[in-house]
Amino acid sequence: MQTIMTWGQLLTCLFIFLVCYYAAVLALCYRHDLVTLGSRFMKQELRDAENESSGEESDYEALYTSVHELMRDCKDVFTNVTNAPIDKNRLISDLSRKVKLHPDIKGTAFQVSMSNHIAQEASHRLGVELEDDELERIWQ
């Protein structure tokens, strides 16, 4: 007599059949429970992603706060109550002292924005035009 299947092949086919059968039973009879279970895992993954991004956002918020503090500190330098002529070197040294109090801004995109702000404020409020090399000296 000739055998069509071996015992190993029979057990493999039965195992594959049982896996498919129970997957179909789970999908048809317990689909609502599976959706709830899946959404629970998705919510956990979203919470983990939010915690990671909130760390980045808190760094951004701290940097943003630091920029606002620097702008507020520089406002005192740009106030010329006596209308006396402003010495450019003294202005640069005063601004440099204020900038050194906020080292986290240096090297970020906010440095360029703050340099533009400083140049505009010096021009409008004090009538002093700051060149690029002078602005770089402020950040050193």
Side-chain angles (χ1 to χ4, degrees):
M1 184 165 155
Q2 189 175 11
T3 58
I4 298 175
M5 289 180 80
T6 63
W7 283 105
Q9 291 173 338
L10 177 65
L11 291 175
T12 303
C13 288
L14 283 174
F15 178 74
I16 291 172
F17 173 76
L18 286 174
V19 168
C20 292
Y21 173 76
Y22 282 113
V25 168
L26 282 173
L28 293 175
C29 298
Y30 297 101
R31 63 181 171 263
H32 299 292
D33 295 331
L34 289 174
V35 169
T36 305
L37 183 64
S39 67
R40 189 178 307 159
F41 285 119
M42 291 298 290
K43 286 179 184 176
Q44 181 63 33
E45 289 176 5
L46 288 175
R47 273 190 235 122
D48 292 342
E50 286 175 1
N51 288 339
E52 290 174 3
S53 66
S54 69
E56 295 170 2
E57 288 177 10
S58 65
D59 293 342
Y60 180 78
E61 289 295 324
L63 187 60
Y64 196 70
T65 303
S66 182
V67 168
H68 279 283
E69 289 174 3
L70 178 59
M71 291 174 83
R72 190 174 45 242
D73 292 345
C74 289
K75 190 184 287 188
D76 298 336
V77 176
F78 294 126
T79 304
N80 186 7
V81 292
T82 62
N83 289 331
I86 301 296
D87 180 32
K88 197 182 251 190
N89 290 327
R90 182 169 177 233
L91 175 66
I92 291 171
S93 66
D94 289 346
L95 288 171
S96 181
R97 257 187 269 117
K98 299 289 185 181
V99 164
K100 285 181 183 175
L101 296 175
H102 304 279
D104 52 339
I105 298 173
K106 186 175 182 179
T108 64
F110 287 115
Q111 179 182 348
V112 176
S113 299
M114 279 304 301
S115 294
N116 290 337
H117 173 72
I118 289 170
Q120 287 176 354
E121 289 293 312
S123 175
H124 293 298
R125 291 183 184 239
L126 304 174
V128 176
E129 297 295 327
L130 294 174
E131 302 296 325
D132 290 336
D133 61 331
E134 295 167 336
L135 290 171
E136 285 298 318
R137 277 189 10 216
I138 292 171
W139 290 97
Q140 292 177 354

